[in-house]
């Protein structure tokens, strides 16, 4: 049973509620003149306690981890993806980006007409996985912390599903933003 169903049945049947996942808010404190680009980017970002950037991040890192209630995570985390990540970027109708990624989606029966559906589906699945802690930490640098999230969509040409990795950037206050719709199998 997943956590949300467990919470629900605990409420309905008055059974022992499941343990809440631990989440933290990364806080960068200004303790010196030299601001560290990386810690500044992590400021106010939310992570599952078990799946956060290395902490302390380096020698003399003054950052702290503030506990975050799981209610706040469930109620306030958001995921967004720009429509342009699909149209024109992914389907690349003008052959501007030349990454060839649209060929896979077209093989699975998708066209540029599906961009809005894909955008909403990516946002929905990524948010569910983010709040469940089901993401992988990727590159962290002065532009921010990337995470990767597996997306699964039905094939339109036959009864089957395909899954692949999408890339997201973590922003403050529980927001994740799609950077790469298809980042590999
Ligand atoms: Zn730092
Ligand atoms: Zn720091």
């Amino acid at each position: 049973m997943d956590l949300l169903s467990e919470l629900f049945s605990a409420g309905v049947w008055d059974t022992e509620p499941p343990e809440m996942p631990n989440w933290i808010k990364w806080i960068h404190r200004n303790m010196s003149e030299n601001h560290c680009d990386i810690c500044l980017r992590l400021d106010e970002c939310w992570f599952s306690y078990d799946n956060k950037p290395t902490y302390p991040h380096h020698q003399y890192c003054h950052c702290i981890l503030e506990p975050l209630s799981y209610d706040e995570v469930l109620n306030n985390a958001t995921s967004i993806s720009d429509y342009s990540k699909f149209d024109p970027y992914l389907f690349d109708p003008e052959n501007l980006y030349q990454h060839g990624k649209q060929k896979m989606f077209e093989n699975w029966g998708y066209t540029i007409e599906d961009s809005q559906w894909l955008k909403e589906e990516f946002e929905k699945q990524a948010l569910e996985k983010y709040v469940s802690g089901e993401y992988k930490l990727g590159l962290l640098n002065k532009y921010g912390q990337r995470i990767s999230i597996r997306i699964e969509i039905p094939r339109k040409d036959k009864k089957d599903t395909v899954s692949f990795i999408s890339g997201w950037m973590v922003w403050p206050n529980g927001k994740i933003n799609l950077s790469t719709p298809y980042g590999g199998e």
Side-chain angles (χ1 to χ4, degrees):
M1 202 162 31
D2 65 34
L3 181 77
L4 292 182
S5 334
E6 273 185 61
L7 284 173
F8 178 73
S9 49
V12 172
W13 305 109
D14 205 20
T15 50
E16 194 67 27
E19 219 170 278
M20 288 293 161
N22 285 320
W23 276 66
I24 56 95
K25 187 193 289 190
W26 190 286
I27 303 287
H28 171 262
R29 296 181 300 164
N30 291 332
M31 308 282 281
S32 68
E33 294 292 295
N34 329 332
H35 294 296
C36 162
D37 291 342
I38 292 182
C39 291
L40 265 180
R41 279 291 180 183
L42 290 173
D43 192 31
E44 302 276 340
C45 288
W46 299 1
F47 298 99
S48 148
Y49 184 83
D50 297 326
N51 200 359
K52 61 180 182 305
T54 310
Y55 176 81
H57 202 63
H58 47 76
Q59 218 182 353
Y60 310 119
C61 168
H62 293 123
C63 297
I64 54 169
L65 304 180
E66 251 183 40
L68 189 63
S69 86
Y70 197 53
D71 269 349
E72 184 162 0
V73 175
L74 289 179
N75 291 331
N76 296 325
T78 51
S79 62
I80 57 161
S81 60
D82 282 341
Y83 179 79
S84 65
K85 290 289 178 185
F86 299 92
D87 172 10
Y89 176 72
L90 180 64
F91 286 100
D92 198 11
E94 311 277 338
N95 204 23
L96 276 179
Y97 307 100
Q98 306 202 346
H99 47 54
K101 292 173 181 176
Q102 73 277 24
K103 294 199 185 83
M104 283 172 298
F105 286 80
E106 285 162 4
N107 274 337
W108 304 330
Y110 289 89
T111 69
I112 198 164
E113 308 293 316
D114 297 306
S115 293
Q116 186 62 31
W117 185 86
L118 287 166
K119 168 185 151 66
E120 287 165 21
E121 188 64 19
F122 272 57
E123 287 171 347
K124 179 175 137 248
Q125 290 190 26
L127 183 58
E128 282 170 9
K129 294 213 166 164
Y130 176 53
V131 302
S132 307
E134 290 174 39
Y135 55 85
K136 259 207 186 102
L137 295 168
L139 181 68
L140 165 61
N141 62 14
K142 63 178 179 177
Y143 302 110
Q145 173 70 62
R146 285 100 175 145
I147 57 174
S148 57
I149 291 179
R150 182 162 289 280
I151 301 286
E152 183 177 314
I153 55 174
R155 292 183 69 138
K156 291 180 153 198
D157 57 330
K158 56 176 162 180
K159 236 180 164 226
D160 199 3
T161 58
V162 281
S163 84
F164 48 86
I165 294 298
S166 62
W168 301 73
M169 185 72 93
V170 181
W171 286 89
N173 305 312
K175 183 165 137 186
I176 58 172
N177 194 348
L178 180 68
S179 45
T180 315
Y182 183 94
E185 279 177 39

